[in-house]
Amino acid sequence: MSQAADLVPTVEAELLPETRRPSQLGERLRRYVPALGLFALALVVWEMVVTAFQIESFLLPKPSVIGAVFVREFPVIFPAGLFTMREAMGGFVMGCTLGGVVALSTARWTVVRDGALPFAIAVNSTPIIALAPIMNQWFGITNPLSKMSIVAVIVFFPVMINMVRGLTQVSAGALELMRSYAASEFAILSQLRIPNALPFVFSALKVASTLSVIGAVVSEYFGGTREALGVYISQQAALFHFAEAWAAIIVACAMGITFYALILLVERLLMPWHVSLRATEG
Amino acid sequence: MDNQLPVVSIRDVTKVYNAGGGDRVKALDTITLDIYPGEFVSLLGPSGCGKSTLLRLIGDLIAPSTGTVLVNGKSAHQARLGREYGMVFQQATLYDWRTVGKNVQLPLEVMNYPRGQREARTQKMLRLVQLEEFDRHYPWQLSGGMQQRVAIARALAIEPALLLMDEPFGALDEMTRERMQMELLSIWSQTKTTVVFVTHSIPEAVFLSSRVVVMSARPGRITGIIDIDLPRPRVFETRENSRFFEKLTEVRERLRHDEVKVASS
C-alpha cells in the first residue's frame, strides 16, 4: 500500500484551503482611515453649522466648546464615569451569571426551558428601564445596587435566551457521534453543548455590554448619588450647562465602546476557532 | 470462516418507521446476515434500501422493530455501552472548537482514557491517516478529504474491533475518493479491523470489499451476497483488471435484476 502513501503529500498540498495570512499592521490601520475621516468631517460640519446659523449654545454647543469643557471637567466626569462603569459591570456580572445558570438548568430540565423561555422572550421585548424608579425605591436611591439590579435584569434575558439556543441547537450528527460513544449527559454537556453555545453566548454578551452601560446611565437619570455620571448629565442639563452634559456623554460613549471591546478581546482569546477570526476577504 | 464467532450477527431483523401512524414505512424486512472477524463487508443498494438503517441498527443508534442484532456475541445495546465499535459518518462531524489532534482525542476523553495513553494513541492514529503535521490545525483549515481522514482516525482511536462506515466518501470528489479508498484498505490491513461499509457506488464496493451485500428498496431486503475474491493488496491497477470488471458486472446485474423484478411486480 505504499503507493497510496507516496501519493498523499504532493496532492494534499494543493488541496489545502487558504489559511490565515499574517496581517500587516499598516494594512489594518488603513482600513480605519475612511471611518476616521468621516468622523472628522462630521465634527467640522457641526462646528460650521452652529457658527453659520448662530445656533444657541444651550440647543447645540460647538464641538470645540465641548472639547474645552471636556478637558476642564475631566477631573469630575472621569471618576463619575468609573463610578457608573462599576455599576454597569456589577450588574452585567450579576445578570450574566444568573442568565447562564438558568440556561444551564434548562439543559438539564427541559421543563424549565418550556416554562421559562416564552416568558423570557416576552419580557426581553419590554422596556425594563421603566422599572428604575421602583428599584430606586426597593434598594435606596443612592445605593449602587438599585442601578446594578436594573442592569442585571436588562442583561439577564438576552444572555439566557441566546445560551439556551446555543445549548439546544446542536447538529444531529454531532449528537449521534456522542451517542455512539455511549457518552454521559455530563460529557455531552461539557464537550458538545457548552462549546457549541459559546458563539451564541458571546453575541449576547456583546449586546449586553452596551445595554449595561445604557441601563446604568439611564437609571441614574431617575436619581442617584452625586458622583454618578447619569446624575451629572441630568443635573447639568437641568442647569442649561449643555456643554458639560455633552462632555459627560462622551465619557459614557467611551465606556460603552471600551466594555464592548473588552468582550470582543475575551471572545477572541476564548474562541480561536471562530468563523469571524478566519482569513478575511481583505 | 465458519468456525469463528461472527463479529456481527443479524437475525430476522425488521425495522418499521412510524409503526402506529398512517405513514408507516417498512425500512427493513427480515434481514439475516453474519459478518466475521477481519472481513470488509459493503452494504450496497439504491437510496431507500435501508442500508444506512441497517448500519445504525448494528451501532445501536436505533433499535430494530423485531429480530436481534448481536455484536461480539452481545446485544448491540450492550456493545455500544461497552464502546466496541467506531463509527464514521458521511459528514466528518468534527467539532469546530477542537484542533485536529483534540478531535481524534474526543472519544478517548469521553471514555476517560489516561492522558498519556490519549496522546500516544492520537499521534499513532494521525500517523496512520498521515496527518501528523496537522495536529494543531482547526477543522476549517482542512480540505474535505482531510477532514474525513481525521474522522477515520477519531473512529480508530479506541482501536475498535469493528468499524462502521456510513458512506464516508460520499461527499468527496472522484479523485480524492479513490485515494481515500486506497488509504482505507491500507489502514484496514494494518489494523485488522472488521469493517461494515455503506455505499451506493458499485466500483467502490467491489474495490474495497471481501463481500458485497446487495440490497433492494421498499422494503429493504438482501437480494444477494457476492464474494469479491480479487487478490490483495488491491492497488491502483486493480481497477483496470478484467476480473474487476467481471465483478462489477456481476454486482450490477444483481442490482438490475432486482429493479426489473420490482418494476414488473
Side-chain angles (χ1 to χ4, degrees):
Chain A
M1 286 293 112
S2 64
Q3 293 93 328
D6 293 340
L7 262 170
V8 175
T10 49
V11 188
E12 211 52 80
E14 291 160 30
L15 287 173
L16 247 183
E18 234 178 291
T19 48
R20 208 188 314 173
R21 278 162 301 183
S23 52
Q24 280 126 10
L25 189 67
E27 194 161 316
R28 289 182 66 178
L29 287 178
R30 216 168 299 142
R31 288 221 309 265
Y32 296 109
V33 168
L36 289 173
L38 192 66
F39 182 67
L41 185 71
L43 286 182
V44 170
V45 170
W46 178 353
E47 184 88 25
M48 280 161 56
V49 166
V50 173
T51 314
F53 295 96
Q54 298 179 328
I55 296 173
E56 298 288 355
S57 70
F58 63 83
L59 286 179
L60 187 64
K62 289 180 201 170
S64 56
V65 174
I66 296 172
V69 171
F70 180 84
V71 173
R72 195 192 70 216
E73 289 290 300
F74 191 77
V76 180
I77 56 182
F78 183 69
L82 286 182
F83 180 87
T84 300
M85 190 74 174
R86 265 200 298 279
E87 289 176 346
M89 285 186 157
F92 178 87
V93 170
M94 280 159 54
C96 292
T97 309
L98 206 63
V101 168
V102 172
L104 278 175
S105 67
T106 66
R108 180 68 188 75
W109 299 285
T110 44
V111 191
V112 180
R113 185 172 73 231
D114 297 341
L117 208 56
F119 173 72
I121 291 168
V123 175
N124 192 33
S125 44
T126 61
I128 296 162
I129 193 74
L131 288 173
I134 313 266
M135 293 298 177
N136 282 344
Q137 188 59 34
W138 282 3
F139 294 98
I141 201 158
T142 55
N143 186 350
L145 209 58
S146 63
K147 316 299 181 281
M148 285 187 198
S149 53
I150 279 289
V151 172
V153 176
I154 291 177
V155 158
F156 170 83
F157 291 100
V159 170
M160 179 218 157
I161 292 166
N162 264 291
M163 187 155 173
V164 168
R165 287 198 181 125
L167 290 171
T168 47
Q169 285 177 18
V170 174
S171 85
L175 265 179
E176 202 163 44
L177 187 72
M178 278 296 189
R179 201 171 138 69
S180 81
Y181 299 153
S184 64
E185 279 302 317
F186 178 76
I188 295 174
L189 184 68
S190 62
Q191 301 301 330
L192 176 56
R193 291 191 189 276
I194 289 176
N196 187 71
L198 272 186
F200 292 79
V201 170
F202 269 102
S203 68
L205 291 183
K206 280 184 267 182
V207 172
S209 66
T210 50
L211 280 180
S212 70
V213 175
I214 296 172
V217 171
V218 173
S219 60
E220 283 164 359
Y221 289 174
F222 296 92
T225 53
R226 300 186 63 85
E227 67 250 69
L229 194 67
V231 175
Y232 178 91
I233 294 172
S234 62
Q235 281 181 352
Q236 296 300 322
L239 296 169
F240 281 49
H241 296 160
F242 283 101
E244 282 78 359
W246 277 99
I249 288 168
I250 294 174
V251 174
C253 292
M255 275 160 48
I257 293 168
T258 308
F259 201 177
Y260 184 91
L262 205 65
I263 302 292
L264 209 63
L265 184 72
V266 175
E267 180 185 36
R268 296 199 165 209
L269 292 176
L270 270 183
M271 304 197 308
W273 72 85
H274 195 249
V275 193
S276 63
L277 307 183
R278 297 175 189 177
T280 43
E281 49 291 315
Chain B
M1 221 173 354
D2 290 292
N3 53 3
Q4 279 178 297
L5 270 174
V7 178
V8 178
S9 179
I10 299 164
R11 287 281 169 282
D12 304 317
V13 160
T14 60
K15 177 66 187 175
V16 179
Y17 286 110
N18 302 318
D23 48 353
R24 185 188 136 96
V25 183
K26 198 166 201 179
L28 289 173
D29 188 19
T30 39
I31 302 281
T32 292
L33 177 69
D34 282 331
I35 296 167
Y36 292 94
E39 273 198 296
F40 196 121
V41 174
S42 286
L43 308 178
L44 175 72
S47 45
C49 73
K51 53 192 191 296
S52 282
T53 301
L54 188 55
L55 195 78
R56 282 179 155 64
L57 284 169
I58 300 171
D60 186 46
L61 297 176
I62 51 174
S65 302
T66 62
T68 56
V69 181
L70 298 183
V71 175
N72 294 330
K74 283 167 267 187
S75 74
H77 183 65
Q78 284 301 322
R80 179 171 67 85
L81 295 185
R83 288 140 172 179
E84 294 184 21
Y85 69 83
M87 187 138 186
V88 181
F89 302 93
Q90 181 170 0
Q91 303 299 327
T93 56
L94 302 177
Y95 288 2
D96 291 340
W97 49 88
R98 286 175 166 257
T99 59
V100 165
K102 287 280 177 194
N103 264 291
V104 175
Q105 270 197 44
L106 176 68
L108 303 171
E109 275 178 40
V110 168
M111 300 176 196
N112 296 319
Y113 279 60
R115 173 180 285 271
Q117 198 179 357
R118 285 202 317 249
E119 270 153 21
R121 202 66 81 71
T122 302
Q123 288 314 311
K124 182 179 169 189
M125 293 309 157
L126 284 179
R127 218 173 304 124
L128 196 63
V129 297
Q130 298 167 15
L131 286 175
E132 305 108 292
E133 66 269 46
F134 293 95
D135 187 359
R136 290 172 192 283
H137 284 60
Y138 281 99
W140 63 268
Q141 295 173 302
L142 307 186
S143 66
M146 291 162 82
Q147 291 188 5
Q148 202 55 279
R149 271 154 55 195
V150 177
I152 292 171
R154 181 181 60 189
L156 290 171
I158 57 167
E159 302 198 327
L162 176 63
L163 185 58
L164 305 177
M165 307 184 86
D166 191 1
E167 298 193 43
F169 308 146
L172 304 179
D173 64 78
E174 193 60 29
M175 281 160 303
T176 311
R177 194 172 176 148
E178 289 194 355
R179 207 154 34 76
M180 293 288 290
Q181 291 167 2
M182 297 274 240
E183 276 196 53
L184 177 59
L185 283 185
S186 141
I187 290 166
W188 175 66
S189 68
Q190 288 174 58
T191 57
K192 317 279 185 222
T193 307
T194 309
V195 179
V196 185
F197 190 97
V198 167
T199 179
H200 55 236
S201 159
I202 301 169
E204 182 167 78
V206 171
F207 181 73
L208 293 173
S209 309
S210 36
R211 279 197 296 161
V212 175
V213 176
V214 179
M215 298 178 70
S216 71
R218 279 172 284 276
R221 279 203 183 98
I222 294 177
T223 54
I225 297 179
I226 296 166
D227 283 315
I228 310 293
D229 46 5
L230 297 170
R232 298 208 186 254
R234 294 184 189 163
V235 288
F236 194 78
E237 289 71 25
T238 303
R239 291 196 185 81
E240 292 157 5
N241 189 323
S242 64
R243 288 279 296 136
F244 180 72
F245 285 107
E246 281 168 31
K247 281 295 167 189
L248 276 187
T249 310
E250 190 182 342
V251 172
R252 191 171 283 130
E253 291 287 320
R254 184 75 253 173
L255 279 164
R256 201 171 66 98
H257 177 70
D258 298 326
E259 269 173 40
V260 172
K261 216 170 57 187
V262 170
S264 60
S265 66

